[in-house]
Amino acid sequence: MEEKSLSNKTFWTIMFAIFFGNFLAVLATNTVNVALPVLMKHFDVDLPSIQWVLTGFMLATGTVAPAIGFFGHRFSTKRLYLFALGGFIVASIMCALSWNEGSLVFFRIIQGTFSGMIMPTTMAIVYQVIPKQQQAFGISIWSLSAMLAPAIGPTLAGGIIYMADWHWLFWLNVPIGLVAMFAVWKFIPMYRIGGHQRFDSLGFALVIVGSILLLLSFGNGAAWGWLSVKTFTFFAIGAVLIAAFIFRSSKLEHPLLNFSVFRYFRFTMSIVLVSIITISLYAGGLLTPLFLQQVQGESALTAGLVLLPASLLMASLIPFTGRWYERFGPVKLIVTGLVFMAIGTFALSCLDPGMSKLEVTLWMAFRNVGIALANTPAMNAGMSAVKREWAGYASSINNWIRQGLASLSIGLFSALLASQTIAHLQQLQAEGHAMSAELQKLAYTQGINDVNMIGFLLTLLAIPAALLLKLNGEISLSSKKQKGPASQAMQHNKALSRD
């Protein structure tokens, strides 16, 4: 029997509460992107040091995600959402009061912990309280909140820094957070599965330490040496701990993360796609502001204004993707989006110091249109395939992998940018060019181009994964007689298949 749709008033009040909280969590990342050069000057540190203001935040958002499904089941997603918003506001106040780069990094990690609770919790609420026939449109509004923040974040940050200083990037979170808390208390219905499951503290420790070691290995690979014993040791131990966490979770009756959701074929493929799209999204968000400010010498405000049209275009398309999803299905939208992403990212791998602002905006627009078309359908194709009782676990896994990869990619790309810049500078000097500020800018640009080329190749790899969604309903994990999650998942996927 088909679920009854929510009334327009009920639907929009729920989405209003979800929108504000998720917007706040994502905004906290994108305002700091533009502020990195300002923070470098303020604290007199280099990029590998200050980038921990960003990567530490994102590491925290990823490492806390595995516990969200458990706490959402135990205390309800509504209570968890309110708790996360309150903690986020307090952490934002502490960031604004930071006295050096170390204290700012520490408070950003605390802020990231609460942000990591907000994003998977809001996603879970969409799939728990919104009927299935309205979920595609609901998740498009959720995605709009995530995309609107990077759309206005750079310009907003640039304007705040120009008119005041970087401290106000954090004070801004306080009134928005209070509005979000009131909306959640007023409009979000209670959804609680209940139960008094035992918290897997050992598993939680394994995933936190493993994630941190992986991030350290990628983030410091250039400084330590990519083939050094230290880099390899951190990577190997981190990988073993993550593998141990996954193995342990598969054996427990009530794990932190229920990896049975990977029995849903669409969910598995969507994780692959969302991961690649996320890496591209955060790579562009890091590299383009650096190019505009460090190479072309533009202010934070100007960099934000250059990025604004492309970001607004991306945000304006997001609400339509829910409607187009119902009409065309996920595959056509995702593949079209990946093609746009590939074109834009390839063009951004051919930057030169004299490139006009209009060209930068144009190619960012191509890339952002692709992200808008691909991101929401990729997420919804997987999440809508999972049964409602597992939505909390699925959203936790989605965000754990997505935020962990985003954090790893920023650390890795920052390290690669530094190492490639040095390599290009040495090569240019070997060719007979005299050391100068212009030569350093050229080497820096070539380093950015190398990292963008990696993003381009990853985007191409995502296209076959998107096409594999067409096999949904044709792949069977077991015989028709089998009962349980695997067979249920495949039956559910067949019913959802459109392509």
Side-chain angles (χ1 to χ4, degrees):
M1 181 181 295
E2 185 175 320
E3 287 182 276
K4 183 179 179 181
S5 297
L6 298 175
S7 67
N8 282 337
K9 180 180 179 181
T10 303
F11 175 84
W12 282 109
T13 53
I14 292 173
M15 293 311 304
F16 174 82
I18 290 172
F19 185 96
F20 259 89
N22 203 52
F23 173 84
L24 179 68
V26 180
L27 184 67
T29 302
N30 292 276
T31 51
V32 174
N33 275 354
V34 172
L36 286 181
V38 176
L39 294 172
M40 288 166 62
K41 292 179 181 178
H42 181 84
F43 293 117
D44 192 24
V45 293
D46 57 10
L47 178 62
S49 297
I50 203 63
Q51 59 100 8
W52 282 98
V53 171
L54 182 59
T55 54
F57 175 94
M58 300 193 66
L59 171 65
T61 65
T63 54
V64 75
I68 302 307
F70 173 86
F71 288 119
H73 278 62
R74 181 73 178 272
F75 302 110
S76 85
T77 48
K78 177 175 181 175
R79 292 195 184 109
L80 184 60
Y81 190 13
L82 284 170
F83 172 75
L85 286 170
F88 188 91
I89 293 171
V90 173
S92 297
I93 294 171
M94 298 308 298
C95 286
L97 299 175
S98 298
W99 53 91
N100 56 33
E101 75 275 11
S103 62
L104 179 58
V105 169
F106 176 77
F107 292 130
R108 279 283 288 175
I109 291 173
I110 301 301
Q111 187 188 46
T113 300
F114 290 106
S115 176
M117 296 180 187
I118 292 171
M119 289 183 277
T121 301
T122 51
M123 180 187 286
I125 290 172
V126 171
Y127 289 99
Q128 286 176 348
V129 305
I130 303 294
K132 189 169 290 294
Q133 61 270 26
Q134 294 174 292
Q135 285 176 0
F137 186 52
I139 202 63
S140 70
I141 302 301
W142 181 91
S143 297
L144 174 61
S145 66
M147 295 302 178
L148 187 62
I152 69 171
T155 307
L156 181 63
I160 289 173
I161 292 169
Y162 179 78
M163 292 184 293
D165 60 40
W166 62 267
H167 299 83
W168 285 94
L169 297 177
F170 300 105
W171 289 121
L172 178 68
N173 295 331
V174 177
I176 298 176
L178 291 174
V179 171
M181 288 189 73
F182 173 79
V184 173
W185 172 77
K186 183 75 173 176
F187 301 126
I188 297 290
M190 185 71 70
Y191 184 92
R192 181 183 179 189
I193 295 176
H196 295 282
Q197 303 170 4
R198 184 178 178 182
F199 182 73
D200 182 17
S201 55
L202 175 58
F204 192 50
L206 288 172
V207 73
I208 287 180
V209 177
S211 298
I212 290 174
L213 291 176
L214 286 177
L215 177 62
L216 288 172
S217 67
F218 280 97
N220 295 286
W224 296 344
W226 292 108
L227 299 178
S228 70
V229 174
K230 191 173 183 179
T231 301
F232 177 79
T233 301
F234 274 56
F235 174 80
I237 295 176
V240 168
L241 291 178
I242 294 296
F245 167 70
I246 294 172
F247 178 79
R248 176 179 172 82
S249 297
S250 68
K251 299 299 182 182
L252 294 178
E253 184 179 358
H254 300 296
L256 279 180
L257 286 182
N258 189 341
F259 287 97
S260 295
V261 294
F262 282 105
R263 295 175 180 175
Y264 294 87
F265 180 74
R266 278 206 168 191
F267 181 79
T268 303
M269 287 297 99
S270 77
I271 287 292
V272 174
L273 291 167
V274 169
S275 297
I276 293 174
I277 294 168
T278 298
I279 291 172
S280 178
L281 174 65
Y282 283 97
L286 172 70
L287 297 173
T288 307
L290 287 174
F291 170 75
L292 292 168
Q293 294 178 77
Q294 301 293 88
V295 176
Q296 297 195 330
E298 302 296 344
S299 66
L301 177 59
T302 300
L305 290 172
V306 171
L307 298 173
L308 181 61
S311 298
L312 286 177
L313 180 60
M314 175 175 64
S316 66
L317 286 176
I318 293 293
F320 295 99
T321 58
R323 304 299 188 193
W324 294 337
Y325 184 98
E326 297 296 332
R327 182 175 180 182
F328 300 110
V331 175
K332 293 182 178 67
L333 282 177
I334 295 170
V335 171
T336 302
L338 291 172
V339 170
F340 271 88
M341 285 176 60
I343 293 171
T345 307
F346 179 79
L348 290 170
S349 72
C350 303
L351 296 172
D352 68 78
M355 178 175 283
S356 70
K357 309 297 183 295
L358 181 60
E359 286 182 271
V360 175
T361 300
L362 174 65
W363 297 123
M364 283 294 289
F366 261 84
R367 177 179 161 279
N368 287 2
V369 166
I371 291 171
L373 293 175
N375 189 55
T376 303
M379 278 196 300
N380 192 62
M383 287 295 299
S384 62
V386 177
K387 63 183 181 180
R388 179 170 293 185
E389 293 78 19
W390 288 1
Y393 290 117
S395 65
S396 295
I397 290 174
N398 188 304
N399 282 273
W400 175 50
I401 293 175
R402 186 160 53 89
Q403 294 302 122
L405 281 176
S407 183
L408 286 171
S409 64
I410 288 175
L412 176 61
F413 290 161
S414 296
L416 281 175
L417 174 57
S419 62
Q420 288 301 102
T421 298
I422 293 172
H424 284 297
L425 189 60
Q426 292 173 342
Q427 181 180 353
L428 289 169
Q429 287 181 296
E431 293 173 357
H433 297 279
M435 175 64 73
S436 65
E438 294 304 316
L439 191 71
Q440 291 175 322
K441 290 180 180 179
L442 178 59
Y444 197 80
T445 302
Q446 291 175 343
I448 290 175
N449 289 341
D450 291 343
V451 179
N452 275 326
M453 179 55 70
I454 295 173
F456 166 71
L457 296 175
L458 284 174
T459 304
L460 293 183
L461 290 175
I463 294 177
L467 294 175
L468 281 174
L469 289 176
K470 288 188 175 182
L471 298 179
N472 179 65
E474 298 174 11
I475 295 177
S476 177
L477 301 180
S478 56
S479 66
K480 293 182 179 179
K481 294 181 179 180
Q482 181 179 346
K483 304 294 182 182
S487 59
Q488 293 170 8
M490 294 313 304
Q491 292 171 9
H492 193 46
N493 283 340
K494 289 179 181 181
L496 288 168
S497 180
R498 296 179 55 88
D499 299 282

